[in-house]
């Protein structure tokens, strides 16, 4: 896994929100990792339970607000300490489920309960463009963002979809992603990173014998 995750580009807060974020390697080179799901992007604001303190991005309510705003551009920006506590609980549950899903392991019921708890709260309602009035509130609350992330996780880890949660095929990479390709044949965290390295190794092996 990369040594330090960095900030991500702006994205729309909806089910079709573009996913992915910039990571940096240990030698300081940036590269783009598309996890395939908004909830997995959120999980990667931490260490997915691997115990690597330097991967933690959310140290304060301000950090959480900064993570949410590019993805939920209509966020009201109000993040209290209790939001950080709740957000870390949800984030860490998603992170553990991500690793368990990639390994074909049974989910911890406590993590399932945490995701379901947040998913049961009101999320961001859909709205049809072109009307003359706006119904309901015009900003997204932090709790609504959590609900949206949790509902995305419910979709990712459902019985029909969980087989698409996979670990990068590279022996020296533990990144997990959701394979959203139509054929379901994605093998690498990134073709520009582990995919290209695999091609180079294969070429060198062929040249050697």
């Amino acid at each position: 896994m990369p040594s330090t995750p960095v900030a991500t580009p702006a994205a729309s807060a909806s089910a079709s929100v573009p996913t992915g974020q910039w990571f940096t390697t240990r030698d300081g080179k940036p590269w783009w990792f598309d996890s395939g799901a908004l909830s997995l992007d959120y999980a990667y604001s931490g260490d997915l339970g691997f115990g690597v303190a330097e991967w933690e991005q959310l140290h304060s309510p301000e950090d959480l607000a900064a993570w949410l705003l590019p993805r939920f551009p209509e966020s009201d920006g109000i993040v209290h300490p209790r939001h950080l506590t709740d957000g870390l609980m949800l984030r860490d549950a998603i992170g553990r489920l991500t690793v368990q899903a990639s390994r074909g392991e049974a989910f911890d019921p406590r993590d399932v309960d945490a995701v379901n708890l947040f998913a049961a709260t009101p999320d961001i309602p859909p709205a049809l463009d072109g009307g003359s009035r706006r119904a309901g509130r015009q900003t997204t609350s932090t709790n609504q963002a959590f609900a949206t992330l949790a509902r995305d996780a419910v979709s990712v880890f459902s019985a029909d979809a969980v087989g698409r949660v996979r670990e990068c095929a590279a022996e020296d990479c533990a990144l997990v992603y959701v394979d959203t390709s139509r054929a379901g044949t994605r093998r690498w965290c990134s073709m520009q990173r582990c995919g290209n390295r695999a091609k180079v190794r294969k070429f060198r092996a062929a040249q050697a014998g």
Side-chain angles (χ1 to χ4, degrees):
M1 296 178 67
S3 58
T4 307
V6 295
T8 66
S12 169
S14 69
S16 60
V17 57
T19 57
Q21 54 195 313
W22 287 102
F23 283 163
T24 56
T25 61
R26 290 183 177 86
D27 56 359
K29 296 179 180 179
W31 65 282
W32 181 256
F33 170 57
D34 182 2
S35 74
L38 182 61
S39 55
L40 263 67
D41 281 351
Y42 186 47
Y44 276 106
S45 68
D47 66 3
L48 280 77
F50 289 112
V52 185
E54 57 264 33
W55 291 345
E56 178 60 66
Q57 298 181 50
L58 307 181
H59 301 281
S60 67
E62 291 76 19
D63 291 338
L64 177 57
W67 192 94
L68 292 173
L69 184 58
R71 298 164 178 85
F72 300 91
E74 295 184 355
S75 171
D76 60 16
I78 300 174
V79 181
H80 298 296
R82 63 177 174 82
H83 287 133
L84 179 63
T85 300
D86 289 346
L88 292 178
M89 179 174 68
L90 173 62
R91 195 258 336 252
D92 293 347
I94 294 173
R96 289 186 291 266
L97 292 173
T98 298
V99 174
Q100 291 160 1
S102 71
R103 297 174 177 175
E105 299 173 353
F107 292 150
D108 188 324
R110 294 169 296 183
D111 293 329
V112 173
D113 287 344
V115 169
N116 287 341
L117 176 66
F118 284 95
T121 59
D123 69 347
I124 303 168
L128 182 65
D129 292 333
S132 59
R133 298 181 181 179
R134 177 108 182 227
R137 61 179 293 158
Q138 298 185 11
T139 57
T140 299
S141 71
T142 298
N143 287 333
Q144 285 179 308
F146 289 160
T148 300
L149 290 164
R151 293 187 185 193
D152 183 73
V154 169
S155 176
V156 167
F157 301 124
S158 69
D160 293 335
V162 71
R164 293 268 185 155
V165 181
R166 299 170 186 162
E167 187 174 298
C168 180
E171 294 181 357
D172 57 349
C173 181
L175 284 171
V176 178
Y177 57 87
V178 179
D179 182 0
T180 58
S181 66
R182 180 167 304 200
T185 57
R186 179 177 171 182
R187 297 185 59 202
W188 315 106
C189 62
S190 167
M191 277 304 301
Q192 288 69 41
R193 184 174 180 259
C194 288
N196 278 344
R197 291 193 301 186
K199 288 182 179 180
V200 169
R201 291 182 187 127
K202 185 176 181 179
F203 176 79
R204 288 174 177 169
Q207 291 292 98

